[in-house]
């Protein structure tokens, strides 16, 4: 009877017996699977080594994770800053003393961290204007105050609508005089409080700061008023108008003849535009005052804008 192998392994054994090699078939049957497995693993390993995109992808992933982490940390920091608690601005009283650290210095003043809920580009700060640092004029603010300085200042302005706070290091000014204490012709020495395109307001100790119109500063035409006046400057003036009912006052730096000429021309323009005029004033020698024509033209333009 012929032998019928029951499995592939029996076939291999039979073949190896016929050839006289008892262990050959068994050796082949056991070694081949290991070799196959090793080859597959080798191919995987080689594939990983040869694929340059794998390392780049891993590096890119790590970079993205780091970037994402930094972004989250930055966002947490910003959220922390935005949620910083400030005291209500309404609790800040005029005239009170408050201490704080200077966090920024500009040409026009310094910003002081006061811890109250002020708004703007620097939340929680108040402005210490250059004119409020000291009585004497300051040429370079950084010679007087710098970032990191701690100051104790007086609150001189609280604007709840705009969310702004103003500070001062100067002593409180003396009690203001009523306008009735001033008369036309009085000569005074004042300090420039505010400069505007059309003139300046001068602090002369009155309850209302009088206006020094641009036409009353000098005899020549003025293109930029700040070439002549700036906040804090000390200027000699004389009163040319006082209106107690309207609570207004005007001053001039010109001489008597120049003021008379301007008053007369102003009276004419007021009559032309508004139908009323002040009492006209004659000038002894108009030819001496021709150099005021340019100032008058500027005044006419200002009247038209009104």
């Amino acid at each position: 009877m012929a032998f019928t192998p029951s499995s592939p392994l029996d076939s291999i054994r039979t073949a190896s017996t016929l050839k006289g090699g008892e262990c050959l078939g068994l050796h082949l049957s056991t070694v081949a699977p290991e070799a196959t497995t090793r080859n597959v693993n080798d191919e995987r390993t080689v594939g990983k080594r040869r694929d340059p995109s794998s390392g780049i992808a891993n590096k890119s992933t790590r970079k993205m994770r780091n970037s994402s982490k930094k972004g989250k940390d930055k966002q947490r920091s910003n959220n922390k800053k935005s949620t910083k608690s400030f005291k209500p601005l309404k609790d800040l009283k005029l005239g009170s003393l408050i201490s704080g650290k200077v966090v920024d210095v500009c040409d026009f003043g310094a910003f002081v961290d006061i811890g109250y809920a002020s708004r703007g580009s620097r939340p929680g700060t108040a402005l210490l204007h250059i004119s409020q640092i000291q009585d004497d004029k300051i040429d370079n603010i950084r010679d007087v105050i710098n970032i990191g300085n701690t100051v104790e200042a007086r609150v001189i302005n609280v604007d709840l609508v705009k969310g702004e706070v103003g500070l001062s290091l100067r002593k409180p000014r003396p009690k203001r005089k009523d306008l009735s204490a001033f008369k036309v012709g009085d000569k005074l020495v004042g300090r420039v409080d505010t400069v505007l395109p059309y003139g300046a307001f001068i602090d002369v100790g009155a309850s209302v700061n009088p206006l020094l119109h641009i036409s009353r500063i000098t005899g020549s035409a003025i293109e930029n008023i700040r070439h002549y006046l700036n906040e804090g400057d000390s200027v000699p003036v004389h009163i040319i108008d006082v209106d107690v009912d309207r609570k207004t006052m005007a001053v001039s730096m010109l001489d008597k003849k120049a003021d008379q000429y301007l008053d007369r021309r102003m009276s004419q323009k007021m009559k032309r535009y508004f139908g009323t005029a002040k009492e006209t004033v004659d000038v002894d020698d108009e030819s001496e005052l021709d150099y005021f024509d340019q100032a008058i033209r500027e005044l006419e333009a200002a009247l038209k804008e009104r």
Side-chain angles (χ1 to χ4, degrees), residues 82-122:
S82 62
T83 56
K84 181 180 177 181
S85 59
F86 294 113
K87 299 176 185 177
L89 199 61
K90 63 181 181 179
D91 294 345
L92 196 58
K93 305 299 181 182
L94 287 175
S96 60
L97 293 178
I98 188 170
S99 61
K101 182 175 291 187
V102 177
V103 295
D104 194 11
V105 177
C106 307
D107 291 339
F108 57 85
F111 288 90
V112 182
D113 186 358
I114 58 172
Y116 282 83
S118 62
R119 300 191 296 273
S121 59
R122 303 168 183 82

Side-chain angles (χ1 to χ4, degrees), residues 18-64:
L18 293 175
K19 292 180 179 180
E22 295 180 355
C23 297
L24 179 61
L26 181 61
H27 178 71
L28 292 172
S29 64
T30 56
V31 173
E34 293 180 2
T36 303
T37 303
R38 191 160 50 247
N39 291 338
V40 171
N41 291 337
D42 290 344
E43 289 176 1
R44 290 176 181 172
T45 304
V46 171
K48 287 183 179 180
R49 290 177 180 174
R50 291 181 178 179
D51 185 5
S53 63
S54 176
I56 296 174
N58 291 336
K59 186 176 181 180
S60 177
T61 302
R62 288 194 298 270
K63 188 179 291 186
M64 290 177 63

Side-chain angles (χ1 to χ4, degrees), residues 71-266:
K72 290 180 180 178
D73 292 341
K74 186 176 182 180
Q75 185 176 2
R76 290 194 196 99
S77 177
N78 291 337
N79 291 339
K80 188 175 181 181
K81 289 181 180 179
S82 62
T83 56
K84 181 180 177 181
S85 59
F86 294 113
K87 299 176 185 177
L89 199 61
K90 63 181 181 179
D91 294 345
L92 196 58
K93 305 299 181 182
L94 287 175
S96 60
L97 293 178
I98 188 170
S99 61
K101 182 175 291 187
V102 177
V103 295
D104 194 11
V105 177
C106 307
D107 291 339
F108 57 85
F111 288 90
V112 182
D113 186 358
I114 58 172
Y116 282 83
S118 62
R119 300 191 296 273
S121 59
R122 303 168 183 82
T125 65
L127 174 63
L128 175 61
H129 194 270
I130 188 172
S131 64
Q132 295 297 331
I133 296 177
Q134 62 183 31
D135 292 337
D136 297 330
K137 183 181 178 181
I138 297 175
D139 294 324
N140 187 351
I141 187 174
R142 290 169 181 82
D143 293 338
V144 182
I145 194 167
N146 289 283
I147 295 175
N149 293 157
T150 299
V151 298
E152 186 176 37
R154 181 168 47 89
V155 179
I156 59 173
N157 178 49
V158 179
D159 192 326
L160 297 177
V161 177
K162 295 182 179 180
E164 297 175 349
V165 179
L167 303 177
S168 176
L169 292 176
R170 296 171 59 183
K171 294 180 180 179
R173 61 188 183 181
K175 186 177 180 181
R176 317 301 281 175
K177 296 180 181 179
D178 189 78
L179 289 183
S180 59
F182 297 89
K183 298 180 181 179
V184 174
D186 288 350
K187 295 182 179 181
L188 309 167
V189 176
R191 186 178 299 275
V192 178
D193 181 72
T194 308
V195 176
L196 299 170
Y198 55 84
F201 286 94
I202 312 299
D203 184 355
V204 294
S207 57
V208 176
N209 288 338
L211 172 64
L212 172 62
H213 192 268
I214 190 172
S215 64
R216 305 278 180 165
I217 296 175
T218 180
S220 58
I222 296 178
E223 295 182 1
N224 186 346
I225 189 173
R226 289 193 176 276
H227 292 165
Y228 295 84
L229 295 176
N230 283 286
E231 286 85 353
D233 290 350
S234 179
V235 293
V237 296
H238 57 271
I239 300 175
I240 58 174
D241 183 67
V242 179
D243 192 326
V244 177
D245 295 332
R246 298 177 61 185
K247 296 182 179 181
T248 60
M249 184 161 61
V251 294
S252 172
M253 294 177 64
L254 303 178
D255 58 29
K256 184 178 179 180
K257 284 188 176 182
D259 282 327
Q260 288 176 342
Y261 178 77
L262 286 176
D263 286 342
R264 193 183 69 170
R265 294 296 296 271
M266 172 65 79

